[in-house]
Amino acid sequence: MRKWMTCMVFGLLTGACTPELQLATEPPYSPAWCSAALALGNRADYLFEVARCHMRGVAGFPKDDARIDFYLNEAARRGHVQAGAELAARGQPVPDDDLRREAVARQEAERNRQAIIAASRPRVYQVRPAAPGVVNRPATPVVTTPTFRNQQENRSTSTRRNCTNNVCRTETTTCVNGRCTTQVTN
């Protein structure tokens, strides 16, 4: 009686008693529970339970071998291992789990599509607000072109001004024949 009241109160609030709620509140393999599993029948575990309802001969679910084989076959195609084992025990061929692989491929394609969408969005960089009284100035690198003194020496120099919390420093990097040194001055 309490389950019926729960379903009725929920039905008044949402407009109907959903199959998920019936599966949660009804005793297993009752006619209402089997009907709810049938209503949710696009998943392997629910299809397997509908086949078991037919095997048990629950009211409204006749013991028909063709229906039992159909629901076991559909559950096995969606990757339910017990359904495949039950089919084999009944002497029926076990189908390939093509629907499960197709669902996995669809999920992978959607995941890839979402990754491409995320990668193609422009990145938005946020500047953190500075402490009161401190001005944030963006560091603007000043890069000079390499200077060559003679043929045997390969020298390049780059200068960058870096300001943080009103403290500015000049970083000068000099590279001679692949060996670089950095000098920091205030």
Side-chain angles (χ1 to χ4, degrees), residues 16-37:
C17 195
T18 63
E20 291 92 354
L21 184 63
Q22 282 183 327
L23 280 173
T25 58
E26 295 293 328
Y29 303 108
S30 66
W33 188 88
C34 289
S35 296

Side-chain angles (χ1 to χ4, degrees), residues 42-122:
N42 213 13
R43 286 187 32 198
D45 49 347
Y46 295 137
L47 289 168
F48 179 69
E49 295 303 334
V50 171
R52 293 183 86 182
C53 289
H54 280 287
M55 285 181 209
R56 291 174 180 228
V58 174
F61 294 85
K63 283 188 174 184
D64 181 16
D65 286 338
R67 287 185 188 190
I68 294 170
D69 291 343
F70 171 77
Y71 286 115
L72 287 174
N73 194 9
E74 289 300 307
R77 287 184 65 203
R78 286 172 175 79
H80 199 280
V81 176
Q82 279 183 296
E86 187 67 34
L87 277 171
R90 295 172 63 86
Q92 298 295 322
V94 179
D96 190 28
D97 59 346
D98 59 334
L99 295 178
R100 182 197 57 82
R101 282 198 317 272
E102 183 180 314
V104 168
R106 274 196 311 269
Q107 289 172 348
E108 182 68 25
E110 178 62 21
R111 208 173 15 253
N112 289 342
R113 189 179 76 80
Q114 291 298 328
I116 290 170
I117 288 171
S120 64
R121 287 190 187 123

Side-chain angles (χ1 to χ4, degrees), residues 7 13-14 26 30 32 42 48 73 112 125 146-147 162 178 184 186:
C7 190
L13 294 175
T14 62
E26 295 293 328
S30 66
N42 213 13
F48 179 69
N73 194 9
N112 289 342
Y125 296 99
T147 57
N162 189 3
V184 179
N186 290 337

